[in-house]
Amino acid sequence: MSSLTPTAFRVRYPVFTADLYSDPVVQSALDDTVTEMNAAIWGTLYTRGAYALCAHLLTVSVSGASPIGGIQSRSIGDVSVTFAKGASALDEMGSTQYGAEYVRLRGMISGGAVVV
């Protein structure tokens, strides 16, 4: 596995420039990422998954993207708000392209049942 560094992260996701996301901010998100993933389970997809999750965490922290149970519809006259039903962690991960990539990669490592 390659070491997870802000420099290597920016090679994969150059949109996260040092001007917008300082090295300490990126490193903090990377540190959070490694506590949520098991390198032994992820195997060769670990680095890609970790950087995708890190990018998701950074994006959500800045934009506040799509909260769990997000608003499905709203009205202004007579004020009406409807919240999405059945929101889950997968819904939240889908709020960014990076979270969706993380979920896609995670699906590749969960091979399901093994027939002997």
Side-chain angles (χ1 to χ4, degrees), residues 4 6 11 17 32 37 44 47 52 54-55 60 75 90 97 105 113-114:
L4 303 178
V11 169
T17 64
D32 289 346
M37 296 177 65
T44 59
T47 300
C54 178
V60 170
S75 303
L90 291 178
Q97 66 188 24
L105 292 168
V114 176

Side-chain angles (χ1 to χ4, degrees), residues 67-74 80-87:
I68 298 285
I71 296 174
Q72 186 175 25
S73 67
R74 57 189 113 173
S80 172
V81 176
T82 305
F83 291 93
K85 294 181 182 176

Side-chain angles (χ1 to χ4, degrees), residues 1-21:
M1 312 287 153
S2 64
S3 61
L4 303 178
T5 66
T7 300
F9 170 76
R10 287 191 185 97
V11 169
R12 181 161 297 275
Y13 295 113
V15 69
F16 293 90
T17 64
D19 292 341
L20 297 174
Y21 301 88

Side-chain angles (χ1 to χ4, degrees), residues 30-91:
L30 287 170
D31 292 346
D32 289 346
T33 296
V34 298
T35 66
E36 297 184 27
M37 296 177 65
N38 183 324
I41 293 172
W42 278 78
T44 59
L45 295 175
Y46 177 74
T47 300
R48 287 174 59 193
Y51 285 150
L53 181 56
C54 178
H56 172 76
L57 294 173
L58 289 170
T59 301
V60 170
S61 72
V62 170
S63 70
S66 205
I68 298 285
I71 296 174
Q72 186 175 25
S73 67
R74 57 189 113 173
S75 303
I76 295 178
D78 292 335
V79 184
S80 172
V81 176
T82 305
F83 291 93
K85 294 181 182 176
S88 69
L90 291 178
D91 295 332

